[in-house]
């Protein structure tokens, strides 16, 4: 399903490719730390090779996982937080309750909010019933222009879910010692927001045996979307 167009041509070790990508996007590890973990398993691979693997396959895997997700809900939580890229303030816009869509922009005004709304509608191809935001006025102005028929709830206390969704991103930002370019941040976060949540079920709502059963299912899905039938494309 997810692996139909996936090719490992030119790569000798597809299993190691997917494992390195999983380690990097699932845990707050550097490329050098992933290299060390692979060496402990007896696999010699340089951190630069791991970097190329993550760049080449990360978004492909994330896209395959997103395609398996159910239809998004009709209530979207939107939130923006600032990040620094090369010392300059940028804004990370995120929508929760559909597929964790992320957009990095340099502004926090009406035009930025409007661009985010339009990108969401184009990507999701459905209109929500309710949009929940904080008190930023740019949301209200963009909402009235792009989707005036959708209910808009603007209250800081209502948007804790979106605010909490930024925590894994903040953790990775610290581990990576910041992002170095807008394009690099967008590419990383696009893959990260597709892969990381797949391995983060709401554990605090599950007894241990249900959590383990859920994780077994999720690992099986990961194995399916990262495999190639018969590994026939191995170099």
């Amino acid at each position: 399903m997810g692996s139909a167009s996936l090719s490992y041509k030119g790569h000798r070790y597809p299993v190691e490719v997917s494992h390195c990508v999983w380690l990097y996007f699932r845990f707050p590890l550097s490329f050098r730390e992933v290299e060390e973990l692979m060496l402990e398993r007896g696999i010699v691979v340089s951190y630069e090779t791991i970097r190329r693997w993550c760049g080449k396959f990360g978004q492909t895997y994330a896209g395959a996982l997103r395609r398996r997700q159910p239809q998004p809900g009709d209530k979207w939580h939107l939130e923006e937080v600032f990040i620094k890229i090369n010392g300059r303030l940028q804004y990370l816009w995120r929508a929760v309750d559909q597929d964790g869509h992320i957009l990095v922009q340099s502004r926090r005004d009406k035009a930025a909010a409007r661009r985010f709304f339009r990108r969401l509608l184009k990507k999701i191809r459905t209109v929500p019933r309710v949009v929940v935001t904080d008190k930023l006025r740019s949301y209200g102005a963009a909402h009235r222009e792009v989707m005036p028929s959708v209910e808009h709830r603007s209250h800081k206390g209502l948007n804790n879910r979106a605010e909490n969704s930024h925590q894994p991103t903040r953790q990775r930002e610290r581990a990576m010692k910041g992002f170095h370019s807008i394009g690099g941040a967008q590419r990383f976060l696009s893959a990260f927001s597709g892969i990381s949540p797949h391995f983060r079920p709401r554990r605090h709502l599950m007894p241990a045996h249900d959590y383990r059963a859920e994780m077994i299912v999720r690992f099986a899905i990961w194995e399916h979307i990262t495999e190639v039938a018969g590994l026939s494309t191995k170099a």
Side-chain angles (χ1 to χ4, degrees), residues 137-199:
R137 293 184 178 181
S138 301
Y139 282 123
H143 163 263
R144 289 190 294 272
E145 183 174 322
V146 179
M147 44 177 138
S149 62
V150 176
E151 180 184 351
H152 179 208
R153 299 177 187 173
S154 176
H155 190 283
K156 187 173 180 60
L158 294 175
N159 218 28
N160 289 336
R161 183 169 186 181
E163 292 176 358
N164 291 338
S165 73
H166 285 293
Q167 292 178 2
T169 303
R170 287 296 196 197
Q171 185 183 39
R172 287 312 303 266
E173 182 186 14
R174 289 191 297 270
M176 298 168 68
K177 299 180 180 178
F179 301 108
H180 302 295
S181 69
I182 291 180
Q186 185 70 63
R187 287 189 295 273
F188 169 81
L189 292 170
S190 177
F192 177 74
S193 65
I195 295 173
S196 180
H198 178 73
F199 296 102

Side-chain angles (χ1 to χ4, degrees), residues 2-106:
S3 59
S5 61
L6 182 62
S7 172
Y8 292 103
K9 186 176 182 180
H11 298 270
R12 289 184 177 275
Y13 309 110
V15 174
E16 285 70 25
V17 169
S18 63
H19 190 69
C20 286
V21 174
W22 172 70
L23 284 172
Y24 182 68
F25 287 108
R26 172 61 183 89
F27 303 102
L29 298 171
S30 68
F31 293 118
R32 293 180 187 272
E33 288 169 332
V34 175
E35 175 186 6
E36 184 176 336
L37 289 172
M38 297 303 287
L39 183 61
E40 189 276 333
R41 295 179 53 166
I43 300 168
V44 179
V45 58
S46 74
Y47 72 92
E48 286 292 349
T49 297
I50 295 169
R51 186 198 306 274
R52 288 194 295 270
W53 288 351
C54 290
K56 181 173 182 179
F57 294 103
Q59 292 198 42
T60 301
Y61 294 163
L65 289 173
R66 287 192 179 100
R67 286 192 291 272
R68 299 182 68 99
Q69 292 178 346
Q71 183 72 16
D74 61 357
K75 186 177 182 181
W76 295 358
H77 294 254
L78 311 182
E79 173 68 9
E80 80 294 334
V81 296
F82 73 86
I83 58 175
K84 280 191 175 181
I85 299 178
N86 281 337
R88 298 186 62 183
L89 199 65
Q90 308 288 344
Y91 289 93
L92 177 65
W93 298 70
R94 182 180 180 90
V96 181
D97 273 3
Q98 34 90 30
D99 66 354
H101 189 72
I102 285 177
L103 179 63
V104 180
Q105 302 189 89
S106 61

